[in-house]
Amino acid sequence: MHRTKIAAGFAAVALLATACSQGSATKGATGSDGKVTLRYFTFSAAPDHVKDLDKIIAGFEKENPKIHIQVETAPFDQYFTKLQTSIAGGTAPDTFELNYENFVTYASAGSLLDLNTVAGDGDSSVYAQESLNAFKHDGKQYALPASFSTVVLFYNKDLFKKAGVAEPTADWTWAEEQAAAAKLTDKKKGIYGDFQPVQFFEFYKTLKQAGGEFLAPDGKKSAFDSPAGVKAATWLASKVGKTMPTEAEIGGTADYDTNLFKSGKLAMWHNGIWQFAGLKDVPFGWDVVVEPGDAAKASAVFHNAVAASSTTKHGKEAWAWARYLSSSGTAASTRIESSWELPPVSDQSVLSGYLKDPKPANRQAVFDSLKSIALPPVIKRQQEMQDAVTKELGEAAAGRKSVPDALKSAATAVDALLG
């Protein structure tokens, strides 16, 4: 799963606002035996961690024999479209996964249950405070943080060795990555030196690396149409057709970059630690390092949480499930043992086991990347903003617009969304 742009066939805010007054036809049901069935919708479990989620559910149901969790999954690029549709149609799941970027949209629309209104006994100090605060809105706790992940630079050690190129280090800059990628690219053999999607999620991070900001300090106007923005967008777009495939070569193939890396045809890959589990059996050596920077270091950090629908009929059960999934020892150990992102717990000793897994060897890079964080900009019309930026970056990458013109168009579109 890469954080590619999510296709949104309609405006999320309008859909969610419409849904606020609707009930759900398929809310978690109570059986004749008094057992409650809660629906849980997730994007991060499939395809690599369904069994891990089952393990967590088994632990929860053992402790809560009157609650059954019914899992539904969708790939990330389809997930929010389906979630929006279900909320608008009055068939929202009782509980569902939310990422930090889309949280504000759902909280603002009234689609989420204030968990403090149904919370049982529970010590909030078990969470890393910054992760807990990320899912508060207007002072209310609308979701509990369930996991976090970072983006790092993956690299194929065998390709580096074969090309006689020194492996990346934590001190690398864009220039060093670019020089290595050029030496590692061999189009005749179908080998590419680098892959970094030209889209919103990579742009706000590279913008930070270039020393720029996405929004003005007051959050009311865009700030990325700047020299730093041009530098960041040029860095991304200039790779296309040189050290990474073009849009035409990718041909709309899903998970193209994942398959390219797994096949041993990609030397460097900007992606998230959620990819670790799927790479355990590849037939070549690989490792990770903190991503190169330019004016500064900056690493993308993503937070996922579990929320409950404001229309669920089983708020207390939903809170119990959210609490268990986000903070129980079973959930934390399962995530760590399976490399399924990381639990946002305050007890750092819980995370120490993560470093013991030998693949990749440099897991310390995951924690080192937390020293310089680039959080995604968040506005109420989040999806529209992401789509607008990605669209214009795509125009620049395809050569249909210059980088400055593309950024100017993107800034105009974002300012209209902020107005």
Side-chain angles (χ1 to χ4, degrees):
M1 176 191 74
H2 203 291
R3 304 268 171 171
T4 51
K5 82 170 182 177
I6 305 165
F10 22 53
V13 174
L15 274 175
L16 296 173
T18 301
C20 288
S21 61
Q22 298 181 12
S24 171
T26 58
K27 279 283 155 263
T30 302
S32 58
D33 59 354
K35 193 169 187 176
V36 170
T37 294
L38 284 181
R39 293 169 57 210
Y40 173 60
F41 191 31
T42 172
F43 57 79
S44 69
D48 296 321
H49 298 286
V50 174
K51 290 183 178 179
D52 300 315
L53 179 57
D54 287 343
K55 182 177 178 180
I56 296 171
I57 290 172
F60 173 77
E61 292 181 348
K62 184 176 180 180
E63 290 188 15
N64 300 270
K66 289 294 186 178
I67 306 174
H68 169 66
I69 305 300
Q70 178 182 311
V71 175
E72 300 167 15
T73 68
F76 188 78
D77 61 355
Q78 300 173 22
Y79 180 84
F80 286 97
T81 297
K82 291 186 175 182
L83 181 59
Q84 291 164 16
T85 301
S86 70
I87 292 175
T91 60
D94 297 281
T95 56
F96 46 88
E97 191 170 16
L98 272 183
N99 59 1
Y100 171 77
E101 303 91 286
N102 285 289
F103 168 71
V104 172
T105 298
Y106 287 81
S108 299
S111 300
L112 308 182
L113 177 68
D114 176 2
L115 295 177
N116 286 335
T117 63
V118 293
D121 294 332
D123 181 6
S124 63
S125 67
V126 299
Y127 299 101
Q129 197 60 45
E130 63 273 17
S131 295
L132 190 68
N133 291 341
F135 294 98
K136 285 183 178 179
H137 184 69
D138 292 339
K140 298 178 180 179
Q141 195 74 52
Y142 283 111
L144 293 178
S147 68
F148 73 90
S149 56
T150 69
V151 172
V152 291
L153 182 68
F154 292 69
Y155 64 96
N156 182 317
K157 295 169 69 72
D158 291 10
L159 288 180
F160 270 81
K161 184 177 181 179
K162 185 178 293 185
V165 177
E167 293 181 6
T169 70
D171 298 323
W172 261 25
T173 63
W174 286 359
E176 287 166 305
E177 180 182 339
Q178 185 178 48
K183 293 177 182 177
L184 289 156
T185 299
D186 188 340
K187 291 186 179 180
K188 291 182 179 179
K189 294 182 179 180
I191 296 174
Y192 290 93
D194 204 355
F195 197 103
Q196 186 170 17
V198 186
Q199 38 103 306
F200 166 84
F201 286 103
E202 293 298 326
F203 176 65
Y204 80 77
K205 176 186 61 182
T206 54
L207 175 64
K208 190 81 170 178
Q209 292 170 353
E213 294 293 338
F214 194 91
L215 297 175
D218 62 5
K220 295 181 179 180
K221 187 175 178 60
S222 65
F224 60 80
D225 183 13
S226 63
V230 170
K231 190 172 187 179
T234 300
W235 161 249
L236 294 173
S238 65
K239 297 183 180 186
V240 178
K242 296 179 181 178
T243 58
M244 66 177 274
T246 63
E247 184 178 336
E249 289 169 328
I250 293 171
T253 305
D255 296 324
Y256 179 92
D257 51 341
T258 303
N259 295 329
L260 193 65
F261 191 80
K262 284 185 175 182
S263 67
K265 298 290 186 179
L266 179 59
M268 289 182 286
W269 186 30
H270 295 257
N271 215 307
I273 64 173
W274 54 84
Q275 296 286 358
F276 287 179
L279 297 175
K280 284 191 175 294
D281 297 323
V282 293
F284 55 83
W286 63 280
D287 208 342
V288 298
V289 68
V290 175
E291 285 185 291
D294 184 59
K297 284 284 190 179
S299 298
V301 177
F302 296 104
H303 284 85
N304 296 330
V306 56
S309 169
S310 59
T311 59
T312 182
K313 296 177 181 178
H314 301 289
K316 289 187 179 299
E317 291 85 356
W319 179 86
W321 166 237
R323 171 78 180 183
Y324 191 91
L325 179 59
S326 61
S327 67
S328 69
T330 297
S333 61
T334 299
R335 289 184 182 280
I336 290 170
E337 290 167 5
S338 64
S339 293
W340 181 15
E341 303 186 342
L342 286 166
V345 294
S346 57
D347 184 357
Q348 293 300 295
S349 66
V350 174
L351 301 176
S352 61
Y354 188 74
L355 297 173
K356 296 178 182 178
D357 194 313
K359 282 191 176 183
N362 186 28
R363 284 179 175 245
Q364 181 59 43
V366 176
F367 297 102
D368 290 343
S369 66
L370 296 173
K371 296 175 183 177
S372 302
I373 293 176
L375 286 174
V378 173
I379 67 173
K380 287 185 178 180
R381 300 174 70 176
Q382 183 72 16
Q383 190 59 59
E384 294 170 89
M385 177 181 72
Q386 294 174 189
D387 288 346
V389 173
T390 295
K391 176 180 179 293
E392 293 301 329
L393 290 174
E395 292 293 293
R400 292 186 289 267
K401 283 186 178 181
S402 68
V403 166
D405 285 348
L407 286 186
K408 185 176 181 179
S409 296
T412 299
V414 171
D415 287 342
L417 296 173
L418 290 166

